[in-house]
PDB file of all heavy atoms in Angstrom:
ATOM      1  N   ALA A 523     -12.890   7.569  -4.463  1.00  0.00           N
ATOM      2  CA  ALA A 523     -13.855   7.575  -3.354  1.00  0.00           C
ATOM      3  C   ALA A 523     -13.503   6.481  -2.341  1.00  0.00           C
ATOM      4  O   ALA A 523     -13.545   6.707  -1.129  1.00  0.00           O
ATOM      5  CB  ALA A 523     -15.277   7.391  -3.879  1.00  0.00           C
ATOM      6  N   PHE A 524     -13.162   5.311  -2.842  1.00  0.00           N
ATOM      7  CA  PHE A 524     -12.765   4.210  -1.965  1.00  0.00           C
ATOM      8  C   PHE A 524     -11.504   4.573  -1.183  1.00  0.00           C
ATOM      9  O   PHE A 524     -11.442   4.372   0.032  1.00  0.00           O
ATOM     10  CB  PHE A 524     -12.527   2.940  -2.781  1.00  0.00           C
ATOM     11  CG  PHE A 524     -11.874   1.842  -2.000  1.00  0.00           C
ATOM     12  CD1 PHE A 524     -12.584   1.119  -1.056  1.00  0.00           C
ATOM     13  CD2 PHE A 524     -10.530   1.546  -2.188  1.00  0.00           C
ATOM     14  CE1 PHE A 524     -11.975   0.110  -0.322  1.00  0.00           C
ATOM     15  CE2 PHE A 524      -9.913   0.544  -1.457  1.00  0.00           C
ATOM     16  CZ  PHE A 524     -10.637  -0.179  -0.524  1.00  0.00           C
ATOM     17  N   GLN A 525     -10.505   5.111  -1.869  1.00  0.00           N
ATOM     18  CA  GLN A 525      -9.254   5.448  -1.207  1.00  0.00           C
ATOM     19  C   GLN A 525      -9.466   6.530  -0.146  1.00  0.00           C
ATOM     20  O   GLN A 525      -8.877   6.464   0.936  1.00  0.00           O
ATOM     21  CB  GLN A 525      -8.211   5.897  -2.234  1.00  0.00           C
ATOM     22  CG  GLN A 525      -7.713   4.759  -3.091  1.00  0.00           C
ATOM     23  CD  GLN A 525      -6.808   5.208  -4.221  1.00  0.00           C
ATOM     24  OE1 GLN A 525      -6.947   6.311  -4.762  1.00  0.00           O
ATOM     25  NE2 GLN A 525      -5.879   4.349  -4.603  1.00  0.00           N
ATOM     26  N   GLN A 526     -10.316   7.502  -0.431  1.00  0.00           N
ATOM     27  CA  GLN A 526     -10.591   8.548   0.549  1.00  0.00           C
ATOM     28  C   GLN A 526     -11.291   7.980   1.776  1.00  0.00           C
ATOM     29  O   GLN A 526     -10.949   8.320   2.906  1.00  0.00           O
ATOM     30  CB  GLN A 526     -11.427   9.662  -0.088  1.00  0.00           C
ATOM     31  CG  GLN A 526     -10.655  10.495  -1.079  1.00  0.00           C
ATOM     32  CD  GLN A 526     -11.533  11.447  -1.873  1.00  0.00           C
ATOM     33  OE1 GLN A 526     -12.755  11.338  -1.892  1.00  0.00           O
ATOM     34  NE2 GLN A 526     -10.902  12.395  -2.548  1.00  0.00           N
ATOM     35  N   GLN A 527     -12.254   7.108   1.563  1.00  0.00           N
ATOM     36  CA  GLN A 527     -12.974   6.484   2.677  1.00  0.00           C
ATOM     37  C   GLN A 527     -12.026   5.607   3.496  1.00  0.00           C
ATOM     38  O   GLN A 527     -12.041   5.635   4.724  1.00  0.00           O
ATOM     39  CB  GLN A 527     -14.147   5.651   2.149  1.00  0.00           C
ATOM     40  CG  GLN A 527     -15.020   5.053   3.219  1.00  0.00           C
ATOM     41  CD  GLN A 527     -15.787   6.096   3.996  1.00  0.00           C
ATOM     42  OE1 GLN A 527     -16.116   7.169   3.491  1.00  0.00           O
ATOM     43  NE2 GLN A 527     -16.076   5.811   5.237  1.00  0.00           N
ATOM     44  N   GLN A 528     -11.187   4.854   2.823  1.00  0.00           N
ATOM     45  CA  GLN A 528     -10.222   3.989   3.491  1.00  0.00           C
ATOM     46  C   GLN A 528      -9.227   4.824   4.311  1.00  0.00           C
ATOM     47  O   GLN A 528      -8.929   4.505   5.464  1.00  0.00           O
ATOM     48  CB  GLN A 528      -9.486   3.145   2.447  1.00  0.00           C
ATOM     49  CG  GLN A 528      -8.581   2.093   3.016  1.00  0.00           C
ATOM     50  CD  GLN A 528      -7.897   1.288   1.917  1.00  0.00           C
ATOM     51  OE1 GLN A 528      -7.464   1.849   0.915  1.00  0.00           O
ATOM     52  NE2 GLN A 528      -7.801  -0.001   2.120  1.00  0.00           N
ATOM     53  N   PHE A 529      -8.752   5.912   3.741  1.00  0.00           N
ATOM     54  CA  PHE A 529      -7.810   6.795   4.433  1.00  0.00           C
ATOM     55  C   PHE A 529      -8.456   7.404   5.676  1.00  0.00           C
ATOM     56  O   PHE A 529      -7.831   7.487   6.737  1.00  0.00           O
ATOM     57  CB  PHE A 529      -7.320   7.896   3.489  1.00  0.00           C
ATOM     58  CG  PHE A 529      -6.357   8.846   4.137  1.00  0.00           C
ATOM     59  CD1 PHE A 529      -5.039   8.468   4.374  1.00  0.00           C
ATOM     60  CD2 PHE A 529      -6.767  10.108   4.519  1.00  0.00           C
ATOM     61  CE1 PHE A 529      -4.150   9.342   4.985  1.00  0.00           C
ATOM     62  CE2 PHE A 529      -5.886  10.994   5.130  1.00  0.00           C
ATOM     63  CZ  PHE A 529      -4.571  10.602   5.367  1.00  0.00           C
ATOM     64  N   ALA A 530      -9.715   7.825   5.557  1.00  0.00           N
ATOM     65  CA  ALA A 530     -10.420   8.416   6.695  1.00  0.00           C
ATOM     66  C   ALA A 530     -10.547   7.412   7.838  1.00  0.00           C
ATOM     67  O   ALA A 530     -10.343   7.767   9.010  1.00  0.00           O
ATOM     68  CB  ALA A 530     -11.798   8.918   6.262  1.00  0.00           C
ATOM     69  N   LEU A 531     -10.862   6.170   7.510  1.00  0.00           N
ATOM     70  CA  LEU A 531     -10.963   5.127   8.541  1.00  0.00           C
ATOM     71  C   LEU A 531      -9.606   4.863   9.195  1.00  0.00           C
ATOM     72  O   LEU A 531      -9.506   4.717  10.413  1.00  0.00           O
ATOM     73  CB  LEU A 531     -11.508   3.827   7.950  1.00  0.00           C
ATOM     74  CG  LEU A 531     -13.012   3.722   7.806  1.00  0.00           C
ATOM     75  CD1 LEU A 531     -13.400   2.380   7.184  1.00  0.00           C
ATOM     76  CD2 LEU A 531     -13.713   3.890   9.134  1.00  0.00           C
ATOM     77  N   GLN A 532      -8.568   4.794   8.389  1.00  0.00           N
ATOM     78  CA  GLN A 532      -7.228   4.559   8.927  1.00  0.00           C
ATOM     79  C   GLN A 532      -6.791   5.705   9.826  1.00  0.00           C
ATOM     80  O   GLN A 532      -6.171   5.487  10.862  1.00  0.00           O
ATOM     81  CB  GLN A 532      -6.221   4.353   7.798  1.00  0.00           C
ATOM     82  CG  GLN A 532      -6.388   3.035   7.085  1.00  0.00           C
ATOM     83  CD  GLN A 532      -5.505   2.910   5.852  1.00  0.00           C
ATOM     84  OE1 GLN A 532      -4.998   3.890   5.317  1.00  0.00           O
ATOM     85  NE2 GLN A 532      -5.330   1.685   5.379  1.00  0.00           N
ATOM     86  N   ALA A 533      -7.124   6.926   9.451  1.00  0.00           N
ATOM     87  CA  ALA A 533      -6.770   8.092  10.263  1.00  0.00           C
ATOM     88  C   ALA A 533      -7.450   8.013  11.624  1.00  0.00           C
ATOM     89  O   ALA A 533      -6.826   8.293  12.658  1.00  0.00           O
ATOM     90  CB  ALA A 533      -7.153   9.383   9.533  1.00  0.00           C
ATOM     91  N   LYS A 534      -8.724   7.619  11.633  1.00  0.00           N
ATOM     92  CA  LYS A 534      -9.434   7.461  12.905  1.00  0.00           C
ATOM     93  C   LYS A 534      -8.760   6.404  13.769  1.00  0.00           C
ATOM     94  O   LYS A 534      -8.580   6.590  14.967  1.00  0.00           O
ATOM     95  CB  LYS A 534     -10.901   7.070  12.665  1.00  0.00           C
ATOM     96  CG  LYS A 534     -11.786   8.210  12.294  1.00  0.00           C
ATOM     97  CD  LYS A 534     -13.234   7.750  12.231  1.00  0.00           C
ATOM     98  CE  LYS A 534     -14.145   8.922  11.966  1.00  0.00           C
ATOM     99  NZ  LYS A 534     -15.567   8.541  11.992  1.00  0.00           N
ATOM    100  N   GLN A 535      -8.424   5.279  13.153  1.00  0.00           N
ATOM    101  CA  GLN A 535      -7.797   4.196  13.908  1.00  0.00           C
ATOM    102  C   GLN A 535      -6.443   4.624  14.464  1.00  0.00           C
ATOM    103  O   GLN A 535      -6.095   4.269  15.588  1.00  0.00           O
ATOM    104  CB  GLN A 535      -7.660   2.951  13.034  1.00  0.00           C
ATOM    105  CG  GLN A 535      -9.000   2.297  12.741  1.00  0.00           C
ATOM    106  CD  GLN A 535      -8.896   1.146  11.761  1.00  0.00           C
ATOM    107  OE1 GLN A 535      -8.032   1.125  10.892  1.00  0.00           O
ATOM    108  NE2 GLN A 535      -9.802   0.183  11.895  1.00  0.00           N
ATOM    109  N   MET A 536      -5.686   5.400  13.701  1.00  0.00           N
ATOM    110  CA  MET A 536      -4.381   5.861  14.163  1.00  0.00           C
ATOM    111  C   MET A 536      -4.519   6.838  15.326  1.00  0.00           C
ATOM    112  O   MET A 536      -3.609   6.977  16.137  1.00  0.00           O
ATOM    113  CB  MET A 536      -3.602   6.499  13.014  1.00  0.00           C
ATOM    114  CG  MET A 536      -3.139   5.482  11.982  1.00  0.00           C
ATOM    115  SD  MET A 536      -2.303   6.234  10.580  1.00  0.00           S
ATOM    116  CE  MET A 536      -0.804   6.810  11.349  1.00  0.00           C
ATOM    117  N   GLN A 537      -5.662   7.506  15.435  1.00  0.00           N
ATOM    118  CA  GLN A 537      -5.922   8.422  16.534  1.00  0.00           C
ATOM    119  C   GLN A 537      -6.554   7.711  17.720  1.00  0.00           C
ATOM    120  O   GLN A 537      -6.949   8.332  18.689  1.00  0.00           O
ATOM    121  CB  GLN A 537      -6.825   9.560  16.069  1.00  0.00           C
ATOM    122  CG  GLN A 537      -6.183  10.446  15.033  1.00  0.00           C
ATOM    123  CD  GLN A 537      -7.141  11.472  14.461  1.00  0.00           C
ATOM    124  OE1 GLN A 537      -8.338  11.468  14.738  1.00  0.00           O
ATOM    125  NE2 GLN A 537      -6.631  12.371  13.635  1.00  0.00           N
ATOM    126  N   GLY A 538      -6.658   6.385  17.607  1.00  0.00           N
ATOM    127  CA  GLY A 538      -7.208   5.599  18.699  1.00  0.00           C
ATOM    128  C   GLY A 538      -8.716   5.507  18.709  1.00  0.00           C
ATOM    129  O   GLY A 538      -9.306   4.987  19.651  1.00  0.00           O
TER     130      GLY A 538
END
Side-chain angles (χ1 to χ4, degrees):
F524 169 74
Q525 289 173 329
Q526 289 171 346
Q527 185 67 29
Q528 187 179 41
F529 180 75
L531 278 179
Q532 289 173 342
K534 281 186 175 184
Q535 290 174 330
M536 290 177 69
Q537 295 173 353

